[in-house]
Amino acid sequence: MKELSDHLNGKSEHTLGLFRHFIAEYKKLGVISIHPTKSMIAIAGKTNVAYITRLGKDFMDVTFPFDQPYNDNLCFKKIAQVPGQQQYNHHFRMMRPEDINKEVRTYMKLALKNNS
């Protein structure tokens, strides 16, 4: 199993700050745990509610899986259905701490709520 430090080593202080901020904001919404995998970092309530799929030089990509598309939003750069499944991955790019705004928190809460 991959360690969290393996994902975070060598990342810029800016990106590490984004990661810490995202986790802190999620913890304000409910109990979560962090599960590093080979290729991403899963954020879980009872099951996985979000996936940090990329830690870039100055950004962080997060995917929220939902059972329907939420097309009426300003925060997701892409929504894609998983082939053969009733799952829609909503792709969010965080570049600044302020990107976790009221709209994003609404979807973060929804992911946790759907998870319970």
Side-chain angles (χ1 to χ4, degrees), residues 32-64:
I32 62 161
S33 56
I34 302 168
H35 302 276
T37 70
K38 186 177 179 178
S39 61
M40 64 185 81
I41 302 168
I43 309 301
K46 290 182 181 173
T47 62
N48 295 339
V49 298
Y51 301 90
I52 298 170
T53 57
R54 188 166 174 210
L55 294 163
K57 182 179 177 183
D58 60 354
F59 67 90
M60 185 172 86
D61 285 339
V62 182
T63 300
F64 295 93

Side-chain angles (χ1 to χ4, degrees), residues 46-97:
K46 290 182 181 173
T47 62
N48 295 339
V49 298
Y51 301 90
I52 298 170
T53 57
R54 188 166 174 210
L55 294 163
K57 182 179 177 183
D58 60 354
F59 67 90
M60 185 172 86
D61 285 339
V62 182
T63 300
F64 295 93
F66 291 113
D67 60 3
Q68 69 182 58
Y70 293 99
N71 295 312
D72 189 19
N73 73 81
L74 298 173
C75 61
F76 298 120
K77 65 180 185 165
K78 178 173 99 174
I79 299 172
Q81 185 173 7
V82 177
Q85 296 184 30
Q86 188 62 31
Q87 177 178 316
Y88 295 83
N89 287 339
H90 293 64
H91 300 269
F92 167 67
R93 177 164 280 185
M94 183 178 176
M95 299 183 78
R96 304 169 307 154

